[in-house]
Structures are given as structure tokens and as C-alpha cells.
Amino acid sequence: MFDHIAFPTPYQTLDLPYPVQLTIKRLDLIHPQISGNKFFKLKYNLRAAHQQGYKQVLTFGGAYSNHIAATAYAAQCFGFQSIGIIRGEELASQTLNSTLQTAQNFGMQLHFVSRSEYRLRHEAEYLQQLKQLYPNTLIIPEGGTNELAIQGTKEILSAEDRENYDVICCAVGTGGTIAGIIESSSAQQQVLGFSALKGDFLKSEIQQWTDKQNWSLTDAHCCGGYAKTTPELLQFMQDFEQKYAIPLEQVYTAKMMMGLFDLIRQYHFPTDTRILAIHTGGLQGKLKTY
Ligand SMILES: *Cc1c(COP(=O)(O)O)cnc(C)c1O
């Protein structure tokens, strides 16, 4: 399962007018549908679902959740039914956005729930009810972050990545991706997380999964919150794409790259620092602004 997906991942080093080396690891090119970090997060979850004889997977997400789209595709690919519990009952009567349309096209049943019901998504009692309602179903948490996901995201960095770079950067949503990267990083490396949402709570989420200390997290470039954008962000995304011919999307990777470029421009990194930025994919949810 998943073993047929093409490796190795391409790397691209950018030509920058600053004395650092910036290389992008293009996880967005792993696969046209399960691109980026979601592939790593789903890998061991679906393997477990298969081994345990589940017929269906159920998971949670907002309207822009790349995890929802990736789960729908992966479930169909490996012969599972899939259910998505989606935040916002008002969405039921609206035209689906591209993420939700993608999920539905891959056979996912979408259930739109109120924000108050969605808030119960981590509660044992609610999960028990869902299990009764949907027997034979593996429940994967929002964003796909659990122990099996982190087993997968530990495989994002290769042995060469541990040798060849001083700083690893990645976008952060629920923290599962950065947790695996931190766990598999070498002690000399620094891992920088760029949060796609506002608030400090993510630090303790990440600490749940790792005891290591060689990382930090900033929400300085979250543009006001999850899935929010600013004209500056959209302009940065457009300029970056034109200059380097690497597509970004506005929810995660553009925020990371804008944050990283700010640090580089401020000479935050010592001369000759070798930076690896992980392109986590997510391009199916890309906003077309031009
Ligand atoms: C989901 C996602 C992330 C965040 O991953 P977490 O493990 O939830 O932190 C980052 N980038 C992209 C493109 C994503 O789709």
C-alpha cells in the first residue's frame, strides 16, 4: 500500500541574493492527488485499517481541509468507503469549493455539521456515538494527526537531509508533520514551524509528540488565522511563482515561504546556513487569483 508512489522526491535550490542556501523539497510532486505531507500521514493509518479489516474510514475537516481531499482519494484507491464530517452546516446548501468537490468526486460522503457539533470531535462520547452509527469504520482525527501519522511523517526527512541542512522549515496546521520532522531531525539541526493559524496552543500540541528541544514555532505570518489571506500574501505568492516557477497555495505553503523570506531578508540566519523548506503540497485547494 502506497509503495508504488514515485520516489525520490525532487529538490530545487533557489537562486537568492542573500548569503544562505535555500532548497525546497518538493513533496507536492509526490503524487497528483495525495500530494505532500498527507501521504505520509495517511500511510500507516490506512495500512492499519486494512490489517484490522475495516471497510470504511471517517475523518473530520473544515471546508479547506487538504486532509479531507487526500483521505477521500486514498480511501477510494485502497478500496475503503469514506465519510467526511465537515464543519459548517450552512455549506450543505452552497456550491462545493474545489476541496470538497474533489473529496466528493472520490466518493466521500460529506456530512455537514454545526460548529457546536464539530467542537465535540475529540470527545470520547461523541466518537463512541459515531462508531455506533458507522460500524466497521476507522476514525482518523482532524488533520490526520495521531501516532500512526507521526510514524509516517518521520519518513519525510531522508538520511541525506539530516546531513546536508542546518535548518528545516515547514508549515504547521495540527502539528503532526512538524512533530515527525522534529523527531527524525539530527541534534544539530533547527526545525522552524510556520503556523497557518493564530495562537500559542499549537506548541503544547507539538510537545505531546516529541521531547526534543531543537525547534521553534511562529504564527507571525498566519495573516490573521486559518485560511485567511492578505493582499500581501497573495502578492508574495504570485511573485514567488513567477520568479521560481514553483506553485504555492495560500493556506500553508505561501505563509511559510513568506515568513522564511522575511527571516532571510532580515539576515536572521548566519552566512552559509543551509535551509531546507518542505513543500507540503496542498495545491488542490489553491485559490486562483490571477
Ligand atoms: C495539512 C497541511 C499542512 C499541515 O500539516 P499538519 O500535520 O496538520 O501540521 C501543511 N501544509 C499543507 C499543504 C497541508 O495540506
Side-chain angles (χ1 to χ4, degrees), residues 9 65 91 99 245:
T9 321
S65 168
L91 297 172
T99 297

Side-chain angles (χ1 to χ4, degrees), residues 72 76 96 99-110 112:
Q76 186 179 68
L96 297 179
T99 297
L100 297 177
Q101 189 61 56
T102 302
Q104 194 174 63
N105 292 349
F106 291 129
M108 183 176 265
Q109 274 183 57
L110 301 176
F112 297 97

Side-chain angles (χ1 to χ4, degrees), residues 101-165:
Q101 189 61 56
T102 302
Q104 194 174 63
N105 292 349
F106 291 129
M108 183 176 265
Q109 274 183 57
L110 301 176
H111 291 294
F112 297 97
V113 302
S114 65
R115 282 165 175 73
S116 55
E117 178 170 341
Y118 194 82
R119 234 170 270 134
L120 301 173
R121 68 196 177 280
H122 303 300
E123 305 284 333
E125 202 180 318
Y126 180 63
L127 295 172
Q128 201 51 45
Q129 281 172 15
L130 288 175
K131 277 194 178 131
Q132 277 168 6
L133 208 54
Y134 307 109
N136 222 338
T137 301
L138 177 74
I139 298 182
I140 301 176
E142 179 186 55
T145 292
N146 58 14
E147 209 151 321
L148 289 172
I150 289 165
Q151 188 184 337
T153 57
K154 278 187 201 166
E155 296 178 359
I156 290 176
L157 290 187
S158 67
E160 293 76 35
D161 295 340
R162 278 186 279 279
E163 289 284 314
N164 295 345
Y165 300 97

Side-chain angles (χ1 to χ4, degrees), residues 35-38 41 64-67 142-145 153 170-179 196 202 226 249 251-253 278-284:
S35 69
N37 59 336
K38 299 305 185 288
K41 296 180 82 171
Y64 298 97
S65 168
N66 296 323
H67 164 68
E142 179 186 55
T145 292
T153 57
C170 85
V172 178
T174 59
T177 302
I178 196 171
L202 261 175
Y226 181 71
E249 47 64 58
V251 181
Y252 294 104
T253 49
I278 310 293
H279 192 317
T280 39
L283 295 168
Q284 114 289 320

Side-chain angles (χ1 to χ4, degrees), residues 59-77:
T59 193
F60 307 87
Y64 298 97
S65 168
N66 296 323
H67 164 68
I68 285 287
T71 304
Y73 174 79
Q76 186 179 68
C77 224

